[in-house]
Amino acid sequence: MAVSKLWPVKHSLKKVIDYANNPDKTKNPNFSDQQFQALKDVLSYAKDEEKTEQEFFCQGINCNPSTARDQFVTVKEQFDKADGIQAYHGYLSFKETDITPEKAQEIGMEFARRTWGKRFQVVVTTHLNTKHLHCHFVVNSVSFVDGKRLQNEEKAWFKFRHTADELCRENGLYYNPNPNRSKQSSRYYNLEQAGMPTPYSVLKRTIDEIIAGSRSMAEFEYNLKKMGYQYQLSPSRKYWTVLPRGRKKPIRLRNLGEDYTNERIIERLRENRNKIHLEPFQPPTISIRHYRMPTRETRIRKVGGLYGLYLYYCYKLGYLPNYKKQNPQRLHYLLRDDLRKLDELTAQTTLLGSHHIENTEQLFSYRASVEADIKALSADRTRLRNEIRKVNISDVELSKAKEQISVITDRLRSLRKEVKLCDGIAERSGVLKDNLQSVIADEEKSKRKENRDHEQRR
């Protein structure tokens, strides 16, 4: 069983109560249409809630469901608290499909009594319109006992969920003793399923790489800082967090999976520290000759200008050459986020190459010429649109004018895309240059370390 946290109702109190009491969702399946009509006739004669049969699974605690709105408002006016949040709306969902509506309503009523029944008015309904039965609760925001508003533990799901777990245990129903309340959104999940990088997957791979190269917490923190991450890894913190560059909200490491909790990270670092690295007693005497062969990278870097910058960036992303299979896990952490922008980067690179644009002056000059073409084509399209509105125009002329308008519209669409690409190039070129400088510096540093290690082994 899962209980959502309550969400406030700030505007229409009647709307939320009508939703909870919706007869199409709370209708008792054991009653026929004839019995419903008979009950309605009886109810119209005697409205006493204690004498009516349960036509619908709608009940109230400290209130009558049919007049709950008026009773809620009366309490608010009595304590002069008719403004602000009007009520709170929540639900209780059952995983089992074989539970009866009567049992679900009974558990929902008992849950509401234990949670809010001493001080608040509550409308409890059971909805039968989905595969899994679920109870809805509409709780008055003001107590009828002392006039205080619903607050603190009375509206905190992570507090009163224990009451729901206790009821499940008493009735032999399913419940999750350790629910994960911080799961990734469905948008990130869908991106990961499609093979696209997300902030969570990128951070997960980065943490794995850092842990693999660290043997202590101090070294782990140093490597995080070196890669541009901000972090809160204090031993007194319940959840460790990391803030990637360019992101405003930090990410809890425990949300990445079971291998990224505080205890598990410390354990993985200790495992690295306990690993024994064996080296041969007799160093090898074979001298290895290194040859520098011309590569695609060398040819691309000779192009120069904006076009060369974009080509080299696509090469570093693994997009060039096309026949080479990409491996996103081996990318530098500064380049991984741009994998989602490959289509835009490709279009910008094609524009620079097809028009031989090498610097920003040529870029802005080309953009100005495109805007002039857009202005001229827009004027021509306006003239043609005025012509087709003439009364005496023939069918042949009308058809020809419409065809010209269609051609001009397609041309304008492509020109406006080019203007947008030019603006994107002007904004992104500086960022690409900074990223490449950082990537090249890190690569040179790692090469120097490899050469130093190689010399030591020799």
Side-chain angles (χ1 to χ4, degrees), residues 23-64:
D24 293 333
K25 300 179 179 181
T26 60
K27 188 175 182 180
N28 192 329
N30 296 325
F31 285 79
S32 64
D33 294 338
Q34 293 80 8
Q35 288 173 319
F36 278 130
Q37 185 60 44
L39 280 173
K40 290 178 181 178
D41 295 339
V42 173
L43 289 173
S44 64
Y45 174 76
K47 281 288 186 179
D48 188 351
E49 61 177 326
E50 295 180 356
K51 297 179 181 179
T52 59
E53 297 187 42
Q54 193 173 8
E55 175 187 3
F56 302 102
F57 291 103
C58 305
Q59 292 178 278
I61 297 176
N62 304 318
C63 67
N64 188 329

Side-chain angles (χ1 to χ4, degrees), residues 104-121:
Q105 181 71 11
E106 178 186 344
I107 295 175
M109 288 291 292
E110 183 60 26
F111 173 78
R113 288 193 192 97
R114 296 185 186 182
T115 308
W116 307 290
K118 295 181 179 179
R119 299 179 57 243
F120 293 91
Q121 300 159 301

Side-chain angles (χ1 to χ4, degrees), residues 71-292:
Q71 294 179 13
F72 281 21
V73 173
T74 300
V75 171
K76 295 176 186 298
E77 293 176 348
Q78 178 183 354
F79 292 99
D80 194 22
K81 293 185 178 180
D83 57 341
I85 296 175
Q86 299 297 305
Y88 287 87
H89 183 195
Y91 71 89
L92 195 66
S93 179
F94 300 90
K95 183 177 181 180
E96 288 79 5
T97 57
D98 56 348
I99 186 173
T100 63
E102 291 80 7
K103 188 65 175 179
Q105 181 71 11
E106 178 186 344
I107 295 175
M109 288 291 292
E110 183 60 26
F111 173 78
R113 288 193 192 97
R114 296 185 186 182
T115 308
W116 307 290
K118 295 181 179 179
R119 299 179 57 243
F120 293 91
Q121 300 159 301
V122 189
V123 175
V124 183
T125 65
T126 298
H127 284 192
L128 320 176
N129 61 318
T130 60
K131 181 180 179 181
H132 298 278
L133 300 185
H134 54 282
C135 298
H136 280 262
F137 307 97
V138 181
V139 188
N140 195 354
S141 60
V142 178
S143 171
F144 68 91
V145 176
D146 51 19
K148 294 183 179 180
R149 293 185 182 272
L150 190 74
Q151 57 185 349
N152 299 334
E153 297 185 1
E154 295 168 333
K155 63 176 182 179
W157 172 79
F158 57 89
K159 293 288 185 180
F160 61 68
R161 73 175 179 86
H162 298 292
T163 303
D165 292 344
E166 184 179 350
L167 282 170
C168 285
R169 192 164 48 249
E170 293 175 0
N171 292 274
L173 299 177
Y174 168 83
Y175 72 98
N176 186 3
N178 298 306
N180 183 6
R181 301 189 297 275
S182 303
K183 294 181 179 178
Q184 299 182 26
S185 67
S186 58
R187 172 174 171 268
Y188 289 150
Y189 175 80
N190 293 333
L191 284 175
E192 288 186 2
Q193 294 299 312
M196 300 295 290
T198 66
Y200 287 88
S201 62
V202 171
L203 179 60
K204 190 174 180 179
R205 288 195 295 268
T206 304
I207 294 296
D208 288 338
E209 294 174 2
I210 294 176
I211 291 178
S214 305
R215 298 188 182 184
S216 65
M217 278 300 301
E219 193 173 358
F220 178 68
E221 294 177 6
Y222 172 76
N223 290 330
L224 274 175
K225 185 177 181 180
K226 186 173 66 174
M227 286 192 172
Y229 288 94
Q230 300 180 20
Y231 53 85
Q232 293 292 339
L233 305 178
S234 173
S236 60
R237 291 181 66 90
K238 185 176 181 180
Y239 304 117
W240 288 350
T241 60
V242 170
L243 180 63
R245 183 157 48 180
R247 184 180 172 92
K248 296 181 179 179
K249 187 176 180 181
I251 298 176
R252 287 182 177 178
L253 293 181
R254 67 181 292 269
N255 293 347
L256 302 180
E258 296 180 357
D259 282 341
Y260 304 90
T261 60
N262 303 5
E263 298 78 9
R264 182 56 183 151
I265 289 177
I266 295 175
E267 184 179 348
R268 291 171 68 182
L269 291 173
R270 287 175 180 171
E271 292 174 356
N272 290 343
R273 185 173 56 192
N274 295 333
K275 290 179 180 178
I276 301 176
H277 297 273
L278 299 177
E279 294 184 359
F281 294 101
Q282 182 67 28
T285 58
I286 301 175
S287 60
I288 302 175
R289 296 183 179 182
H290 299 274
Y291 297 93
R292 289 182 175 270

